[in-house]
Amino acid sequence: MFHKIISLLLCAVAINVNATFAQAKLVQKVSSRPNEIVIPFEKYVLPNGLTVVVHEDHSDPVVHVDVTYHVGSAREEIGKSGFAHFFEHMMFQGSDNVADEQHFKIISEAGGTLNGSTNRDRTNYYETVPSNQLEKMLWLEADRMGFLLDAVTQQKFEIQRATVKNERGQNYDNRPYGLIGEVSSKNLYPYGHPYSWLTIGYIEDLNRSDVNDLKNFFLRWYGPNNATLTVGGDVKTADVVRLAQKYFGSVPRGPKVSAMKLPAVKLASNRYASYVDNYARTPQMRILYPTVPDYHKDEAALACLAQIIGSGKTSVLYQSLVKSQKALNANAFSSLNELAGEFVISVTPLPGSSLADMEKMVNDALVTFEKRGVTADDITKFKSQFESRTINGLASVSGKVSQLAAFQTYLGNPDMIGKQLKNYQAVTIADVLRVYNIYIKNKYRVVVSALPKGKEDAKPAADNYTVNTSGYKAPDYGYNGLKYTKAKDNFDRKIMPLATKSPLVNVPAFWTNKLANGMQAIGTRNNEIPSVTLSIILKGGKLLEANDLSKAGLTNLFAAIMNEDTKDRTAEEFSRELEKLGSSIFVSNGIDGIYFTVQSLRKNLDPTLKLLEERMLRPDFTEEDFTRLKKQVTENINNNRTTPSVIAGNVFAAVIYGTNNILGLPDNGTAQTVANINLKDLQDYYANFISSADGRVVIVGDIQENEILPKLAFLNKLPSQKINFPSLAKTPSVEKTKIYIVDVPNAAQTEFRVGHLTDLTYDATGDYYKAGLANYNFGGSFNSRVNINLREAKGWTYGARSGFSADKYSGSFVFSSGIKAAATDSALYEVLNELAMLRKDGFKDDEVVFMQNSIGQSDARNYETGPQKAAFIGRILQYNLPADYVKQQNNILNAITRSELSAINNRYINPDKMNIVLVGDKKKILSGLSRFNLDIIELDADGTPKQN
């Protein structure tokens, strides 16, 4: 009897301690397992059906919160496309207890970052914040799950509808080949299949939708029983479950959601379809074969097949089409989704080759694949690369949470990363050949062509397919009779939870050293994953081109050829060795340096560094590689001359720096300057400028200083020769604000660049740092003045921003945005007015506090991943910063005043001397600009004035 009483007392204590989440049922617990990749977690289910997955990771003082709803565009229907994505936008517009525009502001002020995304099969909302902000995040997510609809107003609906239209304009309608995916899906899938339209939807469907349609969509799909809450980071599982029960537990269960299954896509013949692309200068062809859904047993084999046929320099398509200088690019990929999959081949020809030629060459390449077969090397490369990607994907808590959330949403089991890796590691030669024979060989396909204006006859074959719209029956998703029922609580949801004590944030400990040849080295140990990232920066880059502007783009072409053949191996052989290791070595150029960037699993670091030595010290500059690369660069330059966002950036640089200054020319040069470059120029660059002098090495990863430095002894073989940069040409003076127009006929949007040079160069604790603080509320955050005005209040853009940028040589201030064409002059008025108001009134006290909180608390998430650590220590080396510069920045941040911020803005922003670059449809925008009484100068895509 005594023992029974004690047992009852213990049970009572347990219930009391866990009273607030006693109803949460633990259904799965996974711990680390030896010699296996595992993301440990506990999984609970609340009575209302919400699944809660928690992963503890105390390596950094951050927490990542993800709420995934198992609904995407696959739950839409004909005439109502784009609803899932549209609703993603509405979920950020406030709820009963969160005011308008406050969701972003609350998280930003907490030092966090946030976003949402929608695909065909799910919608997710996520935020990464300092770990002391956990409860506030759960309160926010629960409020929009259970208390959203009364806050959805017609005005918000209209503004977000306009924002989504602008997003479509920016990402699809206003760029080369932006619509090829839409045309491909429409012609591959049957009419009414939810994959037959893009997630963004059609403009006409957005136009005909109303606020009640949207509310019904929420009521049908956004219940807790169709959602997974995944939390990972510096948390305690018991705390997360307790808070999840408190904030989500009373949200009523939504209608039942059953799994969707649709018949596999079957083609009765080859389908040809085409469209005229407003921006493309070169045609493009996409070939699609229907395959299988995600997580199918053939998933890994199809991915391996795509790699062999069309990924990287060893692929069949690269060897057959790109290496032979017939195609600008040619690749293949396997894209699998929950209901269906596609095997896609994409080809863009070089001038002189037609799409008909390309289709024949693709067919021949597939025959070549059949003859070559699949080798053991192919399988080794595929497995090594997948292992490397999987491990590197776990570098951040957000990466781990995203994996857990996806596996739970689609498979009902978060514990799948190890099993997935095993499935990929089990792929055999026979598997790859089998899926080729099942899904590709002699199978019908869809061939879609994007055709430039004036080249409508460039299609490989006549269009022969018309979508059959007969017999469509809209699905009955159960929208009738839906009711909005709010949760009933025993606490006041209007009270926003306070943050707990701020976590202790330590900048990464790092070491510094000097190599025998004088190169500076800096590194930090990061043993969370068995991976190493290495960057070697040699002095050089774009600034060296200032001596001869007629060959601008030389260093870009030099970096490209450094990724090709060595004296010991062809580029294909070199790539094959890297891929077998799951490593990467990439050479790139910057304004004042040539960068060698290496990524390797720790276990494969030694052979990877041997390849790096070969790449750096034994390049082979062949005429064949040079000719091919020069053609590719030239064609990319020509294609970019019709891309509004690229034009805007290039022309703005030309305006502020002048075309006689190397900084006013594009990094890859112009078609004219690249034509002047010859192979000897690249050989001379290597002979004259590849030097250890002033070189830097940055190392981050699972390795100690005394281990890595001996492995870098090969760098002592580099020559040591002093490199001096030439003087830069004087930049144009700006006497008054002017408007520069570049005409892109039929452009859906106008690309804005508004700004000027400053006399700021980079500093970590001076005026440049302070200028970044001063810009934060004007254009540096989602809740900034320009973004709230132009996006959230007016609905004219998908996003607007401004900022100061600087390096050792120059600095600028620029506002940038893509604005719907019809609002060009109105938006420009608002931008200029915002600048004038900033100069006149400065900031408000609450804006200063918001900025200080946002930037100050964000420090907790600044050093989590390898790239973040590398950026931190690399900056110390590059600018010779003191080790405590972050502490100094925090002192400046906390002490800065409203008057100091205003003084900084007034010192470095002059609204009366702005360069306004507008890239859009001249016919649509020119007349409206006359209201400003400013000089209007028309330029071409190179920034050269047009002759009237």
Side-chain angles (χ1 to χ4, degrees):
M1 183 66 179
F2 176 78
H3 292 289
K4 184 175 181 180
I5 292 172
I6 293 297
S7 297
L8 288 171
L9 287 172
L10 290 173
C11 185
V13 170
I15 291 174
N16 182 54
V17 169
N18 299 289
T20 54
F21 64 94
Q23 291 180 303
K25 182 181 179 182
L26 174 64
V27 295
Q28 192 177 8
K29 181 174 181 178
V30 171
S31 302
S32 297
R33 295 186 287 264
N35 303 316
E36 185 177 345
I37 293 180
V38 177
I39 307 173
F41 68 90
E42 292 185 23
K43 171 181 162 183
Y44 294 79
V45 177
L46 304 188
N48 61 5
L50 178 69
T51 299
V52 181
V53 179
V54 188
H55 162 69
E56 292 193 30
D57 177 355
H58 301 288
S59 56
D60 294 281
V62 295
V63 59
H64 186 79
V65 176
D66 177 289
V67 179
T68 297
Y69 295 88
H70 198 167
V71 57
S73 57
R75 297 291 187 172
E76 297 164 356
E77 57 190 275
I78 293 292
K80 294 183 177 180
S81 65
F83 269 38
H85 174 258
F86 191 171
F87 206 86
E88 177 205 319
H89 282 249
M90 294 304 300
M91 286 280 277
F92 290 98
Q93 298 309 302
S95 47
D96 279 5
N97 305 302
V98 181
D100 296 357
E101 318 302 348
Q102 290 300 298
H103 194 98
F104 273 93
K105 187 172 184 179
I106 288 170
I107 295 176
S108 296
E109 192 166 21
T113 183
L114 70 157
N115 214 328
S117 69
T118 308
N119 64 24
R120 287 168 162 176
D121 306 306
R122 64 99 185 102
T123 306
N124 72 334
Y125 305 87
Y126 51 91
E127 44 271 337
T128 305
V129 293
S131 53
N132 64 318
Q133 302 285 350
L134 169 65
E135 184 171 2
K136 193 180 296 180
M137 299 306 106
L138 298 181
W139 170 77
L140 280 169
E141 290 291 355
D143 209 64
R144 58 182 176 182
M145 178 186 283
F147 300 87
L148 182 87
L149 289 191
D150 285 347
V152 176
T153 65
Q154 187 68 35
Q155 181 184 12
K156 290 181 183 178
F157 175 84
E158 296 296 347
I159 289 173
Q160 291 309 310
R161 172 159 57 184
T163 300
V164 172
K165 290 180 184 179
N166 286 311
E167 181 179 357
R168 181 185 164 98
Q170 179 175 312
N171 294 337
Y172 299 91
D173 299 329
N174 210 45
R175 59 173 54 184
Y177 316 118
L179 295 176
I180 196 167
E182 182 172 88
V183 177
S184 298
S185 296
K186 180 180 179 180
N187 286 278
L188 174 63
Y189 292 99
Y191 186 73
H193 192 293
Y195 287 0
S196 64
W197 55 82
L198 297 183
T199 301
I200 194 76
Y202 294 109
I203 291 290
E204 54 267 31
D205 289 355
L206 293 171
N207 285 338
R208 71 167 62 98
S209 63
D210 63 40
V211 70
N212 290 322
D213 291 328
L214 212 65
K215 287 183 176 182
N216 265 339
F217 193 85
F218 173 81
L219 291 172
R220 179 63 188 89
W221 305 111
Y222 274 72
N225 50 304
N226 197 36
T228 298
L229 166 66
T230 310
V231 179
D234 189 20
V235 298
K236 294 181 180 178
T237 299
D239 291 340
V240 175
V241 178
R242 172 177 57 82
L243 294 170
Q245 179 68 44
K246 176 180 179 180
Y247 291 111
F248 291 89
S250 58
V251 178
R253 176 185 289 266
K256 181 181 179 182
V257 178
S258 300
M260 179 188 291
K261 288 189 177 181
L262 294 175
V265 175
K266 295 187 181 300
L267 304 179
S269 61
N270 287 334
R271 297 176 181 175
Y272 288 87
S274 65
Y275 76 100
V276 177
D277 193 299
N278 186 55
Y279 305 98
R281 291 174 58 100
T282 303
Q284 187 176 96
M285 180 174 64
R286 182 173 289 189
I287 299 172
L288 303 96
Y289 296 89
T291 59
V292 296
D294 209 358
Y295 305 112
H296 187 278
K297 66 181 180 64
D298 290 338
E299 171 193 9
L302 281 165
C304 185
L305 176 66
Q307 180 173 300
I308 296 168
I309 289 179
S311 179
K313 291 179 179 177
T314 61
S315 70
V316 176
L317 287 176
Y318 182 89
Q319 290 296 305
S320 301
L321 280 76
V322 179
K323 187 79 170 178
S324 64
Q325 300 185 36
K326 300 295 184 182
L328 177 64
N329 54 62
N331 55 71
F333 57 92
S334 175
S335 175
L336 307 186
N337 295 279
E338 189 174 21
L339 303 178
E342 308 152 17
F343 190 95
V344 183
I345 295 173
S346 178
V347 182
T348 306
L350 280 166
S353 298
S354 67
L355 290 185
D357 295 333
M358 291 296 98
E359 186 180 24
K360 182 180 184 302
M361 292 186 75
V362 167
N363 293 338
D364 292 343
L366 294 179
V367 173
T368 298
F369 166 75
E370 293 175 18
K371 292 178 179 178
R372 95 186 261 288
V374 179
T375 68
D377 267 4
D378 293 331
I379 301 298
T380 299
K381 290 189 305 178
F382 173 71
K383 292 177 179 179
S384 296
Q385 287 182 292
F386 185 78
E387 179 190 26
S388 180
R389 285 198 305 272
T390 300
I391 290 173
N392 285 309
L394 303 179
S396 68
V397 68
S398 63
K400 286 178 272 194
V401 165
S402 297
Q403 286 278 24
L404 292 170
F407 288 137
Q408 171 58 36
T409 299
Y410 296 129
L411 301 174
N413 179 10
D415 184 26
M416 290 298 295
I417 190 166
K419 295 175 183 177
Q420 185 182 61
L421 182 58
K422 286 180 181 177
N423 289 341
Y424 273 71
Q425 297 289 2
V427 168
T428 65
I429 291 174
D431 290 331
V432 179
L433 293 173
R434 175 177 54 78
V435 297
Y436 173 77
N437 289 322
I438 292 174
Y439 305 110
I440 311 299
K441 183 181 172 79
N442 298 326
K443 297 301 184 291
Y444 296 125
R445 62 199 193 184
V446 176
V447 181
V448 175
S449 303
L451 307 172
K453 290 180 294 184
K455 298 181 180 179
E456 289 83 357
D457 59 349
K459 62 188 73 172
D463 294 355
N464 67 353
Y465 178 71
T466 301
V467 177
N468 182 4
T469 62
S470 64
Y472 172 70
K473 182 179 179 182
D476 182 4
Y477 285 131
Y479 288 114
N480 293 330
L482 295 175
K483 294 182 179 180
Y484 181 34
T485 305
K486 294 186 182 181
K488 295 180 180 179
D489 300 300
N490 57 5
F491 67 97
D492 187 355
R493 282 189 185 262
K494 292 191 178 300
I495 301 175
M496 182 171 66
L498 298 175
T500 58
K501 183 180 179 181
S502 295
L504 179 65
V505 180
N506 294 313
V507 299
F510 61 88
W511 52 263
T512 59
N513 212 318
K514 184 177 284 189
L515 306 186
N517 61 5
M519 294 178 71
Q520 299 290 325
I522 191 168
T524 183
R525 177 85 185 278
N526 179 25
N527 60 358
E528 293 176 33
I529 58 172
S531 179
V532 176
T533 300
L534 175 76
S535 291
I536 298 173
I537 304 99
L538 303 183
K539 188 175 180 180
K542 183 177 179 177
L543 287 179
L544 291 175
E545 299 170 14
N547 281 328
D548 187 358
L549 297 184
S550 70
K551 294 186 178 183
L554 188 151
T555 52
N556 174 71
L557 200 51
F558 171 78
I561 205 168
M562 286 293 290
N563 288 299
E564 297 294 331
D565 294 356
T566 69
K567 294 188 184 301
D568 302 323
R569 297 172 226 256
T570 65
E572 295 75 27
E573 292 168 340
F574 194 92
S575 294
R576 186 178 297 113
E577 293 306 309
L578 275 177
E579 289 166 356
K580 285 160 65 176
L581 297 169
S583 302
S584 65
I585 298 174
F586 185 69
V587 186
S588 59
N589 65 297
I591 186 172
D592 61 358
I594 298 293
Y595 295 77
F596 295 81
T597 305
V598 181
Q599 180 77 46
S600 174
L601 295 179
R602 177 189 164 90
K603 65 181 181 181
N604 294 329
L605 182 60
D606 286 349
T608 301
L609 291 178
K610 283 291 184 184
L611 290 169
L612 174 64
E613 178 179 358
E614 181 181 324
R615 170 67 75 215
M616 294 184 73
L617 300 178
R618 295 182 58 77
D620 193 19
F621 300 92
T622 69
E623 191 70 49
E624 180 186 5
D625 285 340
F626 172 74
T627 302
R628 173 173 42 80
L629 290 170
K630 187 172 177 177
K631 281 185 180 179
Q632 291 173 345
V633 169
T634 301
E635 197 58 25
N636 281 326
I637 289 170
N638 290 333
N639 287 340
N640 285 338
R641 295 184 83 254
T642 60
T643 306
S645 60
V646 177
I647 295 171
N650 288 345
V651 170
F652 185 73
V655 167
I656 64 174
Y657 288 106
T659 53
N660 64 337
N661 187 310
I662 190 59
L663 299 182
L665 295 173
D667 291 347
N668 53 358
T670 68
Q672 293 75 25
T673 62
V674 170
N676 296 329
I677 300 170
N678 57 52
L679 180 60
K680 187 174 184 301
D681 293 323
L682 306 188
Q683 294 168 329
D684 288 347
Y685 184 100
Y686 185 84
N688 296 328
F689 300 122
I690 291 299
S691 167
S692 63
D694 299 315
R696 309 189 304 274
V697 184
V698 180
I699 304 120
V700 175
D702 187 17
I703 195 162
Q704 301 276 19
E705 175 185 6
N706 59 0
E707 294 177 278
I708 186 63
L709 290 183
K711 299 178 189 294
L712 299 178
F714 68 89
L715 293 175
N716 294 321
K717 300 176 185 178
L718 286 168
S720 179
Q721 44 201 0
K722 192 69 176 175
I723 298 172
N724 295 310
F725 289 129
S727 299
L728 294 173
K730 186 178 179 181
T731 57
S733 60
V734 181
E735 302 303 325
K736 61 179 181 177
T737 295
K738 295 180 181 180
I739 298 175
Y740 300 87
I741 289 181
V742 181
D743 184 26
V744 178
N746 302 315
Q749 290 187 310
T750 302
E751 282 289 336
F752 276 50
R753 301 294 184 271
V754 180
H756 52 60
L757 290 176
T758 68
D759 57 4
L760 284 170
T761 54
Y762 178 87
D763 64 64
T765 55
D767 275 6
Y768 176 69
Y769 172 70
K770 294 174 183 176
L773 303 181
N775 177 71
Y776 190 78
N777 281 296
F778 182 76
S781 73
F782 184 90
N783 282 80
S784 68
R785 292 182 180 184
V786 292
N787 194 59
I788 292 297
N789 185 348
L790 299 175
R791 171 178 161 145
E792 297 300 293
K794 303 294 196 309
W796 292 339
T797 180
Y798 182 47
R801 64 210 61 83
S802 69
F804 291 90
S805 62
D807 50 36
K808 294 179 180 179
Y809 316 100
S810 69
S812 63
F813 168 82
V814 60
F815 163 87
S816 63
S817 185
I819 304 286
K820 72 175 183 178
T824 298
D825 61 312
S826 299
L828 181 57
Y829 172 82
E830 293 295 332
V831 172
L832 296 178
N833 188 52
E834 289 283 4
L835 286 166
M837 291 171 59
L838 178 67
R839 191 172 190 85
K840 177 177 177 289
D841 301 325
F843 293 112
K844 299 175 182 177
D845 289 336
D846 64 333
E847 289 180 303
V848 177
V849 172
F850 171 72
M851 178 273 294
Q852 290 172 322
N853 288 339
S854 298
I855 295 177
Q857 295 186 93
S858 68
D859 206 38
R861 55 181 178 82
N862 284 345
Y863 315 107
E864 182 189 9
T865 66
Q868 288 175 311
K869 290 179 170 70
F872 167 69
I873 63 173
R875 197 174 298 117
I876 288 175
L877 203 59
Q878 182 179 6
Y879 292 102
N880 192 29
L881 301 179
D884 69 341
Y885 84 88
V886 171
K887 181 179 179 181
Q888 294 182 41
Q889 287 181 337
N890 286 330
N891 291 337
I892 295 169
L893 172 68
N894 293 327
I896 203 162
T897 64
R898 174 183 166 185
S899 60
E900 285 181 276
L901 293 170
S902 295
I904 286 286
N905 275 326
N906 292 342
R907 191 178 307 151
Y908 297 110
I909 301 177
N910 189 341
D912 298 324
K913 295 185 177 183
M914 286 289 163
N915 301 289
I916 301 169
V917 173
L918 304 175
V919 180
D921 189 335
K922 177 182 172 182
K923 290 180 180 179
K924 294 179 183 177
I925 68 177
L926 184 59
S927 61
L929 298 175
S930 61
R931 64 188 280 193
F932 297 102
N933 196 30
L934 295 171
D935 293 346
I936 299 177
I937 302 164
E938 187 173 356
L939 306 175
D940 64 17
D942 296 319
T944 304
K946 280 193 166 185
Q947 301 300 320
N948 293 328

